[in-house]
Amino acid sequence: MSKNHSYTATVTWTGNRGSGTATYLGYDRDHIVSVDGKPEIPGSSDPAFRGNKARYNPEDFLLASASACHMLWYLHLCSENNVVVEKYIDRAVGTM
């Protein structure tokens, strides 16, 4: 198996209210994250940066990515070392 793994994602801005980024307050931060063959994910910026609180923001994605990566590596190590895990929850917290 190749040691190189390639991934693609498309981020499409959907926040143009009609005048683009003519002014800082004149556009939404909404966007869609797409990966071929998977459901789209609605994104925005954090509400502190004029984002939509109902959508995922890059900070959510970063924290979830680190948490999931840690979990998957931990489960791998357990399975390789005869440690049986029956449940795993990580309530990750990040501070910016």
Side-chain angles (χ1 to χ4, degrees):
M1 178 166 70
S2 172
K3 295 213 181 231
N4 294 320
H5 304 278
S6 179
Y7 304 91
T8 61
T10 302
V11 176
T12 305
W13 177 51
T14 58
N16 185 353
R17 295 184 197 155
S19 59
T21 58
T23 67
Y24 180 74
L25 301 178
Y27 64 95
D28 291 331
R29 278 57 176 174
D30 292 358
H31 54 276
I32 299 293
V33 178
S34 305
V35 175
D36 286 345
K38 298 179 182 180
E40 292 182 336
I41 301 171
S44 190
S45 61
D46 184 274
F49 306 105
R50 308 196 52 76
N52 182 338
K53 69 179 180 178
R55 292 175 168 242
Y56 296 98
N57 62 58
E59 295 80 10
D60 294 331
F61 290 136
L62 180 62
L63 185 60
S65 178
S67 177
C69 187
H70 179 267
M71 176 197 66
L72 294 169
W73 185 243
Y74 174 75
L75 295 175
H76 165 77
L77 291 176
C78 289
S79 71
E80 292 290 314
N81 290 283
N82 300 313
V83 175
V84 177
V85 176
E86 295 183 355
K87 185 174 181 178
Y88 182 104
I89 298 173
D90 179 13
R91 291 182 178 86
V93 176
T95 302
M96 184 169 70

